[in-house]
Amino acid sequence: MNNKLISSATIFFCTIMFFSIPCRLLADEGEILFHDISDKSKNYSIFKIRSDGSGLKEIIRGGIYPLWSPDKKKIAYTKITTNPQDADYTESLRITDSLGKELFKIEGVKSPFKDKDLTKVLVCGYEWSHDGKRLAFATVVLRRLYLQTFDLQSKKIKNLYQKEVKDTDLAYLNTDIAWSFDDNEIFFASEDGGVEVFDLDKGSITIRIPSGFPSSLSVGEDKIIFSFLKEKTTFLGSIDKKGNKVDDFEL
């Protein structure tokens, strides 16, 4: 195949994969978090391993998508009740210490129904604030997506925003969350594309990228990077620590 015939869509999704690589799976001590099928339970578990391949240890059973806190002392993860292929599969958000001991069970939005098909909760995404005091997270219940924060000191959940989703699977796969560097705003990319920004002080939503453009977010050392696809072309843009926007450029 001619390598020159790579499509813009392929470049876009490769770009998303690159920028979506979790940036806080590696602790200061060199311990990497990951999830895999456990030989013991035959279900998903979260493991730690040193960067040299030594010290492999199963620390959380029934967990997926681990994320170190900024100080590397806590782990946020998704708790799964059963095998994801089971009909009564559901998820919840938990926080443990660095050894996997549970500290918080975050009770987000719940369904008012008892039917298993109507009580299913999907955790779409979560991200630590830069000071490590809050966790922003998104869940889908009954085709509605909810953006919330959990305060580790007060143990309180704050409801920020909600909207209807057309495709639950896309909402689950395509939701990205990023905090501004001053922790006053939450950038949010969801199922239908586009990027919205929630101002925690004002309690209001603004649009960074209109819906309809498949989008992705990533936080670097000094920039929040956006990528989005428009008319088969990938565009990148960013916002620096001072909140200054950099013009989008074509990839």
Side-chain angles (χ1 to χ4, degrees), residues 213-232:
F213 299 113
S215 307
S216 183
L217 294 169
S218 182
V219 180
E221 290 296 326
D222 56 2
K223 293 176 183 172
I224 299 173
I225 302 170
F226 306 87
S227 65
F228 63 99
L229 182 65
K230 181 179 180 182
E231 297 177 354
K232 298 183 179 180

Side-chain angles (χ1 to χ4, degrees), residues 55-248:
L56 177 63
K57 185 177 181 180
E58 180 181 1
I59 60 171
I60 302 171
R61 291 191 178 183
I64 54 177
Y65 302 126
L67 187 64
W68 282 115
S69 62
D71 62 6
K72 310 300 186 294
K73 293 181 178 180
K74 300 180 184 66
I75 302 168
Y77 77 99
T78 300
K79 176 73 174 181
I80 54 177
T81 55
T82 60
N83 190 299
Q85 297 179 349
D86 293 343
D88 59 349
Y89 167 74
T90 189
E91 300 178 343
S92 60
L93 190 58
R94 309 289 176 94
I95 295 176
T96 72
D97 63 15
S98 61
L99 300 177
K101 181 181 178 180
E102 186 170 304
L103 301 175
F104 303 102
K105 178 182 178 181
I106 302 176
E107 298 283 359
V109 176
K110 293 183 178 180
S111 169
F113 303 101
K114 295 183 178 181
D115 186 284
K116 289 182 179 179
D117 291 333
L118 298 177
T119 57
K120 184 174 292 186
V121 176
L122 294 177
V123 180
C124 297
Y126 39 95
E127 184 60 63
W128 292 95
S129 60
H130 289 85
D131 61 13
K133 296 179 179 180
R134 289 173 291 177
L135 192 74
F137 64 100
T139 53
V140 169
V141 181
L142 294 175
R143 289 191 175 274
R144 292 198 71 81
L145 188 146
Y146 299 85
L147 179 64
Q148 301 173 285
T149 56
F150 176 73
D151 189 301
L152 276 68
Q153 294 179 325
S154 67
K155 301 179 183 179
K156 291 183 178 180
I157 291 175
K158 186 175 183 179
N159 300 318
L160 304 181
Y161 177 57
Q162 61 174 289
K163 67 178 181 179
E164 185 177 357
V165 296
K166 298 176 182 177
D167 190 311
T168 302
D169 291 336
L170 284 179
Y172 183 77
L173 294 171
N174 295 345
T175 297
D176 285 338
I177 297 172
W179 289 77
S180 62
F181 290 99
D182 60 7
D183 288 336
N184 287 331
E185 293 179 321
I186 297 175
F187 296 81
F188 183 68
S190 58
E191 155 237 14
D192 56 353
V195 174
E196 298 165 283
V197 185
F198 189 90
D199 189 308
L200 292 165
D201 291 332
K202 298 178 181 178
S204 60
I205 282 276
T206 56
I207 305 298
R208 176 64 176 85
I209 300 173
S211 61
F213 299 113
S215 307
S216 183
L217 294 169
S218 182
V219 180
E221 290 296 326
D222 56 2
K223 293 176 183 172
I224 299 173
I225 302 170
F226 306 87
S227 65
F228 63 99
L229 182 65
K230 181 179 180 182
E231 297 177 354
K232 298 183 179 180
T233 301
T234 300
F235 292 86
L236 295 175
S238 64
I239 292 180
D240 64 20
K241 284 188 173 182
K242 296 181 179 180
N244 299 318
K245 297 179 181 180
V246 179
D247 292 337
D248 299 328

